[in-house]
Amino acid sequence: MYRKEDVLRKLNSDNYYIDIRALETFIADWQIDAIYEAKDGTIFFDDLGIQKLKKGISLKSQGYNNEQICYRIHKSPTELLDEEQREDEFKSTAIEAIKTPAPEVRNVTLNVTNQTLQMLAEAVAGKITDDIKNHIDTSQFAERLVDAGVYKKDNEILAKQVAELIADNKKLAKRVAELERQQKPFWKKMFS
């Protein structure tokens, strides 16, 4: 059983570089269920959940949308594991081919899709945002704003507006009282 942090370490060690925010998004979008939830809210995943995440990340980098990914990773577990074994065999064959020296190969190109770049950019942006949020102490920030007088000017404007409203309310109260006095003789005439 793996906690989210363990899943993240496992994915990163297998060259699936994502952060906790991306992991949580993938779990929600691809409907990957935890196998256990502790009383404190900690959720745990099994090897099949990790395989689903790997497959989903691979499909995401190939341009598949979340619906397609969700459909493919929720195939029967044996189909998913068979696909994973075929991919592992392909990778090991590819690694062996790379290890074999080929003098005619001099240039190597790396095919990076826009989706892969977008996913990396989103992960980096999320990481930067989280770091900034963690490093700003909001109480010190608010104190600096108050000291700088940002709120003083607004408070003065609001105080003037409140004073005007109070004066208007007093005028309205006098006018209502005056109208009530004027209507009393009218009501007396009607009910007499």
Side-chain angles (χ1 to χ4, degrees), residues 108-172:
V108 176
T109 58
L110 178 62
N111 185 11
V112 178
T113 63
N114 286 338
Q115 290 84 4
T116 305
L117 292 175
Q118 183 179 357
M119 191 173 77
L120 287 172
E122 288 172 0
V124 169
K127 179 76 170 151
I128 291 170
T129 303
D130 291 343
D131 286 349
I132 289 172
K133 284 179 185 175
N134 292 336
H135 285 87
I136 291 179
D137 182 10
T138 54
S139 62
Q140 289 178 350
F141 184 71
E143 288 174 7
R144 281 187 254 138
L145 285 177
V146 171
D147 290 343
V150 172
Y151 292 124
K152 286 182 182 180
K153 186 175 181 179
D154 289 343
N155 286 342
E156 289 172 7
I157 293 170
L158 288 174
K160 287 179 185 176
Q161 290 174 345
V162 168
E164 290 173 6
L165 288 172
I166 290 172
D168 288 344
N169 282 343
K170 287 179 182 177
K171 288 178 188 175
L172 286 173

